[in-house]
Amino acid sequence: MASLSHPLKPRFLSTPKPKLQTNKCPTKVRMSFQESGPSIAVVGVTGAVGQEFLSVLSDRDFPYRSLKLLASKRSAGKSISFQDRTLTVQELTADSFDDVDIALFSAGGSISKQFGPIAADKGAVVVDNSSAFRMVDGVPLVIPEVNPEAMAGIKIGNKKGALIANPNCSTIICLMAATPLHRHAKVTRMVVSTYQAASGAGAAAMHELELQTREVLEGKPPTCNIFKQQYAFNLFSHNAPVLENGYNEEEMKMVKETRKIWNDMNVKVTATCIRVPVMRAHAESVNLQFEKPLDEDTAREILKTAPGVVVIDDRTSNRFPAPLEVSNKDEVAVGRIRQDVSQEGNHGLDMFVCGDQVRKGATLNAVQIAELLL
Amino acid sequence: MASLSHPLKPRFLSTPKPKLQTNKCPTKVRMSFQESGPSIAVVGVTGAVGQEFLSVLSDRDFPYRSLKLLASKRSAGKSISFQDRTLTVQELTADSFDDVDIALFSAGGSISKQFGPIAADKGAVVVDNSSAFRMVDGVPLVIPEVNPEAMAGIKIGNKKGALIANPNCSTIICLMAATPLHRHAKVTRMVVSTYQAASGAGAAAMHELELQTREVLEGKPPTCNIFKQQYAFNLFSHNAPVLENGYNEEEMKMVKETRKIWNDMNVKVTATCIRVPVMRAHAESVNLQFEKPLDEDTAREILKTAPGVVVIDDRTSNRFPAPLEVSNKDEVAVGRIRQDVSQEGNHGLDMFVCGDQVRKGATLNAVQIAELLL
């Protein structure tokens, strides 16, 4: 049995299973192995996100008649336990997608670019976690609670499959909270500053943060393999390449993906993306400008009934969303909801949002997309 | 000799002495013990900031003819080494300020409220690091690089002393970078999200962050004395009390102090203040709106010549300001300077600012104020 150890098991590095009271995500389906279920493939199954895909599929009793685990040649032959069976990892090839209904891709952009269209040609609906197709015209970019209508007409079992893109983690987490308010009062401008966890850079980055922290506490020089600088007890601008306009790619994803998901080319977004020494949940400080007035009490009530969102906004005890509290949880938490004192006439709000980067920021959202296909 | 150990000595928790190439702070004075120098008192000398006061006075060869170390009754009698002498801590009383020219206060707001006016009545110029007098009419709130004119007319050696307030750390660090741009293009609105270090909550908070981190890595429950929740590998809304408008006190300090320091009651500011697991330097994501157009190249050139500011803005190698790089340093670092894509016609900029909370955020700024008196 291959070791596919998860760096996040220690109790206080991240918290276990969801316990927040919340509105359930709307598309949950209670099933598991079923003759009538779809055949599923998970591409990139040995990575951190691939492993979490299996965990989410199992947690949500996702129905399937077959489950194919795909990875690079190097990982082929490894065994993975799933529910009460042991499955063998197969090498990803052009022939992997015969008789696959839904293919969950998380093996990086270049693998998606190469094999996504092949899978779709063979009739699979590809839910791709990379950025490869997000901004491609005709490829729906979907958060199930936000814009399920974007994937209207896409079905499994067609001869011709389809590509659906999973948005970037920071975009998903921000829009889970911003969209219900946008629907009510129309967001015209959004200023976002992120506090992003190690998990966004993969399991190796999480391991490095832990290793470095141990080293620093022992007075040793920190091992810097994944990032060029010390991460323990530090923070830095997101490691994505910086573009000609001075924004990094992570930031421009938030700008562009928001426009596509909201189908609103006029919404103004700016973002500053920062990596902080936290394991697996992102936080975001979000300043909103609205076309119509929206007071904070109405906003709070809207968010309390928003699917997949939980409000943590206790001013008396100073209890608000924090990454550790949402780690390993499905819901996006929102708090610090307040009328922006820098804007006139109830046209602005500030809020603070936290969500698990690996779950709602990636795998859960993709699995929810797959659930919409059932 | 009392143990006044400093929690920040380990090499990789924070970095040693300044090595950044920079414009020197403008008021530096190269002197030390001098018959003609002022007599100095440091109030709250046994605290983390009090200790850093001594370090900054020594580093800057601040001239003095006598140095009085004051603290609570409990600390009276302790010995402290300063330069090549051993000084004894004296109990702070109403009689402590006879023949004191400059009193540097950092013993909390209630001590400042009680003893600050007494010291001023006896002829001392009080430079107070607490929030006690910051918003009091007639008390200058000063960042020497920003508004030295606010303390015009205040001199040492007068029969009647004066109170001068040191701004809040987050305000100082933000305005060091924002003011040179404000002078050029007039800031009309500023949206700030902070990434604040443990040091702002005192030495005990820094110790707790280190202790908790060790505990978490050993799989033990974290000790939560200073903060109500786990700080290691986590972040949370600033611990300051939340006011009726939903902002916490730390955030409203940024809003109000900016107006007073810029002497501009119309400038709009909103802030979200977050505590991150970093030891002693704050970071801030700052979005600016200007009355007049200001392009990013001009902004960068302005900041390159701004006193006490260093520009770290290397897009190619993704090198930007980070807390660890400015820890124990005098300069505020600024980078990620870019035209805001969410604003029209060069009327907006984003930037990321880092500064040592204990130094420029507190002690250095106060000592620079004292230097203006010489």
PDB file of all heavy atoms in Angstrom, chain A residues 30-42:
ATOM      1  N   ARG A  30     -27.351  11.817  -1.188  1.00  0.00           N
ATOM      2  CA  ARG A  30     -27.023  10.740  -0.255  1.00  0.00           C
ATOM      3  C   ARG A  30     -27.032   9.390  -0.960  1.00  0.00           C
ATOM      4  O   ARG A  30     -28.023   8.697  -1.007  1.00  0.00           O
ATOM      5  CB  ARG A  30     -28.040  10.731   0.901  1.00  0.00           C
ATOM      6  CG  ARG A  30     -27.755  11.782   1.931  1.00  0.00           C
ATOM      7  CD  ARG A  30     -26.728  11.310   2.966  1.00  0.00           C
ATOM      8  NE  ARG A  30     -26.083  12.457   3.595  1.00  0.00           N
ATOM      9  CZ  ARG A  30     -24.838  12.447   4.014  1.00  0.00           C
ATOM     10  NH1 ARG A  30     -24.081  11.382   3.874  1.00  0.00           N
ATOM     11  NH2 ARG A  30     -24.318  13.505   4.574  1.00  0.00           N
ATOM     12  N   MET A  31     -25.914   9.024  -1.562  1.00  0.00           N
ATOM     13  CA  MET A  31     -25.818   7.721  -2.226  1.00  0.00           C
ATOM     14  C   MET A  31     -24.368   7.254  -2.182  1.00  0.00           C
ATOM     15  O   MET A  31     -23.496   7.949  -1.736  1.00  0.00           O
ATOM     16  CB  MET A  31     -26.279   7.828  -3.680  1.00  0.00           C
ATOM     17  CG  MET A  31     -27.769   8.094  -3.815  1.00  0.00           C
ATOM     18  SD  MET A  31     -28.283   8.154  -5.531  1.00  0.00           S
ATOM     19  CE  MET A  31     -27.717   9.777  -6.032  1.00  0.00           C
ATOM     20  N   SER A  32     -24.103   6.075  -2.679  1.00  0.00           N
ATOM     21  CA  SER A  32     -22.716   5.638  -2.814  1.00  0.00           C
ATOM     22  C   SER A  32     -22.611   4.672  -3.999  1.00  0.00           C
ATOM     23  O   SER A  32     -23.078   4.980  -5.085  1.00  0.00           O
ATOM     24  CB  SER A  32     -22.241   5.015  -1.513  1.00  0.00           C
ATOM     25  OG  SER A  32     -23.053   3.909  -1.195  1.00  0.00           O
ATOM     26  N   PHE A  33     -22.025   3.489  -3.804  1.00  0.00           N
ATOM     27  CA  PHE A  33     -21.878   2.574  -4.931  1.00  0.00           C
ATOM     28  C   PHE A  33     -23.241   2.150  -5.440  1.00  0.00           C
ATOM     29  O   PHE A  33     -24.066   1.627  -4.711  1.00  0.00           O
ATOM     30  CB  PHE A  33     -21.061   1.340  -4.525  1.00  0.00           C
ATOM     31  CG  PHE A  33     -20.988   0.331  -5.638  1.00  0.00           C
ATOM     32  CD1 PHE A  33     -20.176   0.574  -6.750  1.00  0.00           C
ATOM     33  CD2 PHE A  33     -21.763  -0.813  -5.624  1.00  0.00           C
ATOM     34  CE1 PHE A  33     -20.127  -0.338  -7.803  1.00  0.00           C
ATOM     35  CE2 PHE A  33     -21.711  -1.723  -6.673  1.00  0.00           C
ATOM     36  CZ  PHE A  33     -20.895  -1.491  -7.762  1.00  0.00           C
ATOM     37  N   GLN A  34     -23.497   2.412  -6.719  1.00  0.00           N
ATOM     38  CA  GLN A  34     -24.806   2.097  -7.303  1.00  0.00           C
ATOM     39  C   GLN A  34     -24.617   1.663  -8.738  1.00  0.00           C
ATOM     40  O   GLN A  34     -23.901   2.318  -9.503  1.00  0.00           O
ATOM     41  CB  GLN A  34     -25.691   3.353  -7.302  1.00  0.00           C
ATOM     42  CG  GLN A  34     -26.080   3.811  -5.911  1.00  0.00           C
ATOM     43  CD  GLN A  34     -27.199   4.827  -5.965  1.00  0.00           C
ATOM     44  OE1 GLN A  34     -27.611   5.217  -7.054  1.00  0.00           O
ATOM     45  NE2 GLN A  34     -27.685   5.210  -4.812  1.00  0.00           N
ATOM     46  N   GLU A  35     -25.305   0.593  -9.126  1.00  0.00           N
ATOM     47  CA  GLU A  35     -25.229   0.111 -10.513  1.00  0.00           C
ATOM     48  C   GLU A  35     -25.607   1.223 -11.497  1.00  0.00           C
ATOM     49  O   GLU A  35     -25.056   1.319 -12.587  1.00  0.00           O
ATOM     50  CB  GLU A  35     -26.173  -1.094 -10.714  1.00  0.00           C
ATOM     51  CG  GLU A  35     -25.663  -2.384 -10.105  1.00  0.00           C
ATOM     52  CD  GLU A  35     -24.329  -2.848 -10.718  1.00  0.00           C
ATOM     53  OE1 GLU A  35     -23.984  -2.442 -11.832  1.00  0.00           O
ATOM     54  OE2 GLU A  35     -23.624  -3.618 -10.031  1.00  0.00           O
ATOM     55  N   SER A  36     -26.565   2.070 -11.068  1.00  0.00           N
ATOM     56  CA  SER A  36     -27.063   3.100 -11.981  1.00  0.00           C
ATOM     57  C   SER A  36     -26.242   4.389 -11.913  1.00  0.00           C
ATOM     58  O   SER A  36     -26.509   5.338 -12.643  1.00  0.00           O
ATOM     59  CB  SER A  36     -28.517   3.423 -11.635  1.00  0.00           C
ATOM     60  OG  SER A  36     -28.563   3.961 -10.321  1.00  0.00           O
ATOM     61  N   GLY A  37     -25.277   4.446 -11.006  1.00  0.00           N
ATOM     62  CA  GLY A  37     -24.497   5.678 -10.850  1.00  0.00           C
ATOM     63  C   GLY A  37     -23.557   5.896 -12.020  1.00  0.00           C
ATOM     64  O   GLY A  37     -23.344   5.022 -12.850  1.00  0.00           O
ATOM     65  N   PRO A  38     -22.963   7.082 -12.091  1.00  0.00           N
ATOM     66  CA  PRO A  38     -22.017   7.373 -13.167  1.00  0.00           C
ATOM     67  C   PRO A  38     -20.673   6.694 -12.931  1.00  0.00           C
ATOM     68  O   PRO A  38     -20.355   6.308 -11.808  1.00  0.00           O
ATOM     69  CB  PRO A  38     -21.858   8.889 -13.085  1.00  0.00           C
ATOM     70  CG  PRO A  38     -22.120   9.214 -11.651  1.00  0.00           C
ATOM     71  CD  PRO A  38     -23.123   8.207 -11.165  1.00  0.00           C
ATOM     72  N   SER A  39     -19.917   6.552 -13.981  1.00  0.00           N
ATOM     73  CA  SER A  39     -18.535   6.091 -13.800  1.00  0.00           C
ATOM     74  C   SER A  39     -17.649   7.334 -13.682  1.00  0.00           C
ATOM     75  O   SER A  39     -17.776   8.287 -14.439  1.00  0.00           O
ATOM     76  CB  SER A  39     -18.100   5.210 -14.971  1.00  0.00           C
ATOM     77  OG  SER A  39     -17.959   5.974 -16.130  1.00  0.00           O
ATOM     78  N   ILE A  40     -16.809   7.293 -12.670  1.00  0.00           N
ATOM     79  CA  ILE A  40     -16.007   8.465 -12.285  1.00  0.00           C
ATOM     80  C   ILE A  40     -14.537   8.169 -12.527  1.00  0.00           C
ATOM     81  O   ILE A  40     -14.085   7.047 -12.290  1.00  0.00           O
ATOM     82  CB  ILE A  40     -16.154   8.738 -10.761  1.00  0.00           C
ATOM     83  CG1 ILE A  40     -17.613   8.716 -10.315  1.00  0.00           C
ATOM     84  CG2 ILE A  40     -15.471  10.025 -10.353  1.00  0.00           C
ATOM     85  CD1 ILE A  40     -18.385   9.920 -10.689  1.00  0.00           C
ATOM     86  N   ALA A  41     -13.809   9.194 -12.947  1.00  0.00           N
ATOM     87  CA  ALA A  41     -12.343   9.112 -12.950  1.00  0.00           C
ATOM     88  C   ALA A  41     -11.796  10.288 -12.158  1.00  0.00           C
ATOM     89  O   ALA A  41     -12.313  11.407 -12.261  1.00  0.00           O
ATOM     90  CB  ALA A  41     -11.811   9.151 -14.383  1.00  0.00           C
ATOM     91  N   VAL A  42     -10.800  10.005 -11.331  1.00  0.00           N
ATOM     92  CA  VAL A  42     -10.099  11.086 -10.628  1.00  0.00           C
ATOM     93  C   VAL A  42      -8.685  11.150 -11.203  1.00  0.00           C
ATOM     94  O   VAL A  42      -7.912  10.189 -11.092  1.00  0.00           O
ATOM     95  CB  VAL A  42     -10.057  10.834  -9.106  1.00  0.00           C
ATOM     96  CG1 VAL A  42      -9.248  11.929  -8.410  1.00  0.00           C
ATOM     97  CG2 VAL A  42     -11.475  10.788  -8.533  1.00  0.00           C
TER      98      VAL A  42
END
